[in-house]
Amino acid sequence: ALPSGQSSSAIQIQGTVNAVASPPLNITVAGGVAGSVTLGQSSKVESVRSDTTYKLPMSVQVADAAGNPVANATVALSVWPYAWSTGTVCVATATYLNEDQNENLIKDAGEDGVRWRINDLTLSEAGKVRVFTDPTDTVNNPPANFDGFLTPQNSNAGSIPKTVTTDVNGVATFDFEYLKSNSIWTVVRMSASTVVQGTETKSQVIFRLGWSEEDVKLPGICRISDSPYRF
């Protein structure tokens, strides 16, 4: 069980809690311009919007090559449903990468029903194993869910502001909102980037959508619906 009110088992690129994803995607620039941008999240979520949604406070920090804050930097934000899990009673049983492997939001030929299973301890593509390769091979591969749609949908990752602007401390805060029914079962990749004097610096974090102890305290308490995803 998570500590009271904890939001997620987060996997951050620059500071790991459960695992390591990949090296920081930071570009160091000399001369007092932006050297890095970092994403961080609160340890708690809040129930909002008629108790159907979680709100996770987050921050982004921009520093120059000397570690000094970069004020008034416009930071672009995005979030993507990186992976999804099957499971019941608040326990994820297996995790698979998004069917939309080229991330173009179009169901291209060969994407629907393809399953790339990943190690949930690393959540890294390096450890992915394709467990479903041929829809006719039902002996070695159980039939996947050919539903005619990409799994998961983009909106399952929740929503964040398109951009934020840093204050005098080089920090900008924002709220990340997502439906409770997508918590536990959806792994997201959040990205932040800023451009200073023509040079981009970027950072990403990968983490599972978290929950509150009020809704989930295993064993015994599970108020989140079973996974909306099917193999």
Side-chain angles (χ1 to χ4, degrees):
L2 292 174
S4 177
Q6 183 162 330
S7 66
S8 66
S9 53
I11 296 86
Q12 294 195 16
I13 285 180
Q14 292 185 317
T16 60
V17 176
N18 283 352
V20 175
S22 58
L25 298 178
N26 290 338
I27 302 173
T28 300
V29 188
V33 300
S36 63
V37 56
T38 306
L39 282 158
Q41 59 182 276
S42 172
S43 60
K44 296 180 180 179
V45 295
E46 176 186 351
S47 295
V48 295
R49 306 190 188 284
S50 301
D51 203 33
T52 62
T53 305
Y54 283 131
K55 180 173 71 175
L56 175 63
M58 298 195 68
S59 296
V60 61
Q61 186 172 37
V62 181
D64 65 15
N68 301 310
V70 178
N72 299 316
T74 299
V75 181
L77 302 171
S78 64
V79 63
W80 174 256
Y82 178 80
W84 53 276
S85 296
T86 55
T88 59
V89 292
C90 296
V91 177
T93 55
T95 302
Y96 305 91
L97 289 177
N98 192 319
E99 288 182 342
D100 189 6
Q101 288 294 288
N102 58 9
E103 301 183 13
N104 65 355
L105 299 179
I106 298 173
K107 184 176 67 64
D108 297 312
E111 287 186 332
D112 188 23
V114 172
R115 300 289 178 258
W116 288 97
R117 185 168 182 171
I118 58 175
N119 184 339
D120 199 24
L121 294 178
T122 63
L123 296 179
S124 68
E125 293 192 29
K128 67 184 180 182
V129 178
R130 196 174 189 181
V131 296
F132 185 85
T133 57
D134 183 352
T136 65
D137 184 4
T138 58
V139 176
N140 296 315
N141 301 301
N145 183 24
F146 290 90
D147 56 6
F149 301 95
L150 291 170
T151 303
Q153 296 182 13
N154 190 49
S155 58
N156 289 23
S159 62
I160 52 177
K162 185 176 181 178
T163 61
V164 292
T165 303
T166 59
D167 59 18
V168 294
N169 299 308
V171 176
T173 60
F174 60 96
D175 290 329
F176 174 32
E177 293 194 16
Y178 52 91
L179 297 181
K180 286 190 174 185
S181 57
N182 289 326
S183 65
I184 301 177
W185 318 116
T186 308
V187 177
V188 300
R189 185 191 66 223
M190 189 173 294
S191 302
S193 64
T194 186
V195 177
V196 178
Q197 295 185 356
T199 301
E200 181 183 51
T201 178
K202 184 176 182 180
S203 184
Q204 298 179 337
V205 289
I206 298 173
F207 59 96
R208 185 175 295 279
L209 295 184
W211 54 93
S212 68
E213 193 173 72
E214 179 184 5
D215 292 327
V216 182
K217 187 176 182 180
L218 299 177
I221 298 176
C222 175
R223 297 192 174 100
I224 304 298
S225 55
D226 291 345
S227 174
Y229 310 120
R230 299 291 178 266
F231 182 89

